[in-house]
Amino acid sequence: LLNRNTFYHSNKVDYLPVSRKDMACYLGMTSETISRIFSQWKKKSIMVTDNKKILSVDFNSLITIAENF
């Protein structure tokens, strides 16, 4: 998902046209797991949300997480 330049610009997410359920299916996870991960990222300030929209993402942190996975 990080390589999909169509949905982000810099550290701001312009639009992510994927539901948590669809994202979970794409990644082979449950939507509950996606919700837990998002909650952890929000607590660590990796992601900022407003209701159901992702407002900004620290992509450098996500790249570090992906590289160490």
Side-chain angles (χ1 to χ4, degrees):
L1 290 174
L2 287 176
N3 291 327
R4 295 180 61 190
N5 293 328
T6 57
F7 73 80
Y8 71 85
H9 174 70
S10 182
N11 265 358
K12 300 287 185 208
V13 175
D14 295 326
Y15 181 61
L16 182 58
V18 180
S19 70
R20 287 183 186 182
K21 182 179 177 182
D22 290 341
M23 189 179 301
C25 184
Y26 177 78
L27 297 172
M29 300 177 175
T30 65
S31 58
E32 292 83 3
T33 300
I34 295 295
S35 292
R36 282 193 295 275
I37 291 169
F38 280 10
S39 292
Q40 291 172 2
W41 289 353
K42 286 189 277 186
K43 287 178 185 173
K44 294 178 180 180
S45 299
I46 295 172
M47 164 188 291
V48 177
T49 63
D50 176 24
N51 198 6
K52 299 254 180 198
K53 295 179 183 175
I54 299 171
L55 299 178
S56 66
V57 175
D58 179 350
F59 285 103
N60 290 328
S61 292
L62 289 183
I63 290 168
T64 299
I65 289 169
E67 290 174 343
N68 293 315
F69 185 70

